[in-house]
Amino acid sequence: MDIVTESDDKTCCFTKAYGHYIEGTGSFLQTNSSVSIDWAFTDDLTDSESLSRLRQLQLRYFTPREIANFHCFPEEFSFPTDVTRKQRYRVLGNSLNAHVVSLLLKYLVS
């Protein structure tokens, strides 16, 4: 499980299974900055203690809009209203950075 904070500048790759599976599908955002990630993951804890500490990190999934922002999708980009959250994660999973793709296309046609 990859956990990032608001001050981090890197995340794991988001896959189409993000929101469905926990391991290996993308990062989680820790919203409680007063608790250390290391404190939550020590080896000598019972399962119950580990779960309690994990809850205190106040983790959440990134929203589809936040993932689109990571990929430099324009602010005016939005999904049709009938597209579910799960479908949005699937479409954004393994996406390429829109800015990088635009630069590559410009290079290829010049």
Side-chain angles (χ1 to χ4, degrees):
M1 174 187 291
D2 183 59
I3 300 171
V4 296
T5 63
E6 289 181 3
S7 63
D8 289 331
D9 58 358
K10 295 180 182 172
T11 65
C12 281
C13 176
F14 294 92
T15 71
K16 69 179 187 176
Y18 190 68
H20 186 69
Y21 295 109
I22 294 174
E23 291 280 338
T25 61
S27 301
F28 289 84
L29 180 64
Q30 176 185 345
T31 59
N32 183 358
S33 60
S34 66
V35 180
S36 163
I37 293 172
D38 294 331
W39 169 83
F41 292 97
T42 57
D43 292 334
D44 57 342
L45 299 174
T46 66
D47 288 345
S48 177
E49 291 170 325
S50 293
L51 187 56
S52 174
R53 287 188 179 192
L54 198 57
R55 282 191 183 119
Q56 290 181 52
L57 294 176
Q58 298 176 359
L59 302 177
R60 72 168 179 83
Y61 285 100
F62 282 93
T63 65
R65 178 69 249 175
E66 290 169 326
I67 295 171
N69 290 345
F70 292 149
H71 291 299
C72 294
F73 280 61
E75 286 296 320
E76 56 275 357
F77 170 80
S78 64
F79 286 98
T81 55
D82 62 333
V83 176
T84 67
R85 183 181 201 95
K86 183 177 181 178
Q87 290 170 323
R88 292 172 190 201
Y89 283 132
R90 284 183 174 240
V91 168
L92 291 168
N94 299 329
S95 290
L96 299 173
N97 183 296
H99 177 69
V100 172
V101 170
S102 71
L103 292 175
L104 289 172
L105 288 172
K106 286 178 188 175
Y107 176 76
L108 287 172
V109 297
S110 63

